[in-house]
Amino acid sequence: MKPASDGSVSMPRAMSCVRLRSVTKEYMLGKALVPALRGVTLDIDRGELVCVAGPSGSGKTTLLHLMGCLDNPTAGELTVLDKNVAEMSDGEACRMRGTRIGFIFQSFSLIEVLSVFENVEYPLLLHGWPVGGRRERVEEVLAHLGLKDLAKRRPTQLSGGQRQRVAIARALAPNPDLILADEPTANLDSTTGHDVIDWLSRLNGEYGITIVFASHDPKIISAARRNINIVDGLIASDVTL
Ligand SMILES: Nc1ncnc2c1ncn2[C@@H]1O[C@H](COP(=O)(O)OP(=O)(O)OP(=O)(O)O)[C@@H](O)[C@H]1O
Ligand SMILES: [Mg+2]
């Protein structure tokens, strides 16, 4: 480490995961413009466990979609895993989503006609993993999440908590740097919701995967080490515990 001119030694900046500078997002609704984010500046470093909370319609899902390269800002600068999103081609954004970012949704979003094994395998198949490596990785992830015995079941043959655990396995399979979880406990009872939070916190602790939740669930808010409150498309508070 190089000393500064006054002789002090500065710590290197933690590695950036997501960086937003004056980001706005407006949706077109017919002829009307709906402002969803109104100038958000935010840094999330790698390895953080963050909860974005705020009232309904405040912009939480919009923010997660931008962080997940599912959508582009209307204005401002967005960098995800060291890549400027404005400079990414559709193919690059797709590869980023498929290999480095995992998504977990309130509705689980599993494919009903596929088995648990196939659901978890699906992102690997899409992104060209060879068959042997794919099978090995899916088995590893299912074992890690205690889902081995459910591998052959269809999502309709699972409880809500088991479905969400499969969604976590699917998000984890490509070994992502970042997992975005939008209201992951909203359709679950309190105990099962706790399990989902525990699993995601464990992935953060064990593998250093950055986790960003959007949720107003007090259980998630208290599990996160950093709470960002968003109101009307703007950051109202940002507290690291
Ligand atoms: N596709 C869309 N077209 C038009 N307006 C949209 C679209 N998606 C979101 N919005 C609007 O953008 C604003 C922010 O929505 P967003 O879904 O990000 O809120 P949220 O904080 O996730 O809300 P909730 O807690 O209800 O999930 C809202 O006013 C919403 O109506
Ligand atoms: Mg939402």
Side-chain angles (χ1 to χ4, degrees):
M1 212 178 298
K2 203 172 150 197
S5 53
D6 64 358
S8 65
V9 175
S10 62
M11 292 299 290
R13 244 191 75 79
M15 283 208 296
S16 169
C17 183
V18 184
R19 181 178 188 273
L20 292 91
R21 290 292 175 273
S22 306
V23 165
T24 64
K25 177 69 190 175
E26 290 167 344
Y27 295 104
M28 276 305 278
L29 197 62
K31 285 185 183 156
L33 274 182
V34 181
L37 295 177
R38 299 189 298 126
V40 172
T41 291
L42 174 66
D43 282 288
I44 295 179
D45 289 333
R46 295 202 191 197
E48 284 203 82
L49 182 66
V50 183
C51 179
V52 179
S56 178
S58 57
K60 303 181 295 296
T61 295
T62 301
L63 184 60
L64 258 63
H65 282 184
L66 295 182
M67 289 180 182
C69 307
L70 286 165
D71 209 346
N72 289 310
T74 306
E77 202 183 297
L78 171 64
T79 310
V80 179
L81 296 165
D82 303 318
K83 294 246 176 0
N84 184 336
V85 170
E87 290 166 5
M88 257 187 233
S89 65
D90 288 350
E92 279 173 318
C94 180
R95 261 195 307 285
M96 176 77 104
R97 290 194 298 269
T99 59
R100 302 192 65 191
I101 304 174
F103 296 90
I104 295 167
F105 304 97
Q106 169 178 348
S107 55
F108 319 127
S109 299
L110 300 174
I111 302 172
E112 305 247 313
V113 294
L114 299 183
S115 68
V116 164
F117 187 99
E118 290 162 341
N119 264 282
V120 177
E121 184 185 31
Y122 191 64
L124 306 183
L125 190 73
L126 272 187
H127 289 278
W129 282 52
V131 63
R134 226 160 55 211
R135 194 176 309 124
E136 200 177 313
R137 178 63 182 160
V138 175
E139 279 167 5
E140 183 181 42
V141 168
L142 290 179
H144 190 72
L145 281 147
L147 289 166
K148 237 169 133 180
D149 295 343
L150 304 177
K152 292 197 174 122
R153 294 221 202 152
R154 297 278 171 89
T156 49
Q157 298 165 327
L158 301 175
S159 71
Q162 289 168 335
R163 285 184 210 198
Q164 200 55 306
R165 209 161 358 128
V166 175
I168 296 173
R170 181 186 54 188
L172 177 66
N175 198 15
D177 296 282
L178 168 65
I179 291 182
L180 301 165
D182 195 358
E183 314 262 7
T185 58
N187 285 334
L188 303 175
D189 64 62
S190 177
T191 312
T192 317
H194 255 302
D195 289 344
V196 165
I197 300 164
D198 278 352
W199 277 112
L200 287 169
S201 304
R202 221 180 287 176
L203 298 185
N204 172 261
E206 283 175 18
Y207 304 118
I209 299 174
T210 310
I211 313 264
V212 182
F213 293 99
S215 177
H216 14 228
D217 182 344
K219 295 191 296 298
I220 295 187
I221 294 171
S222 63
R225 284 190 289 275
R226 178 175 175 193
N227 280 296
I228 296 170
N229 200 33
I230 177 164
V231 177
D232 224 359
L234 284 170
I235 293 180
S237 66
D238 181 348
V239 179
T240 300
L241 305 172

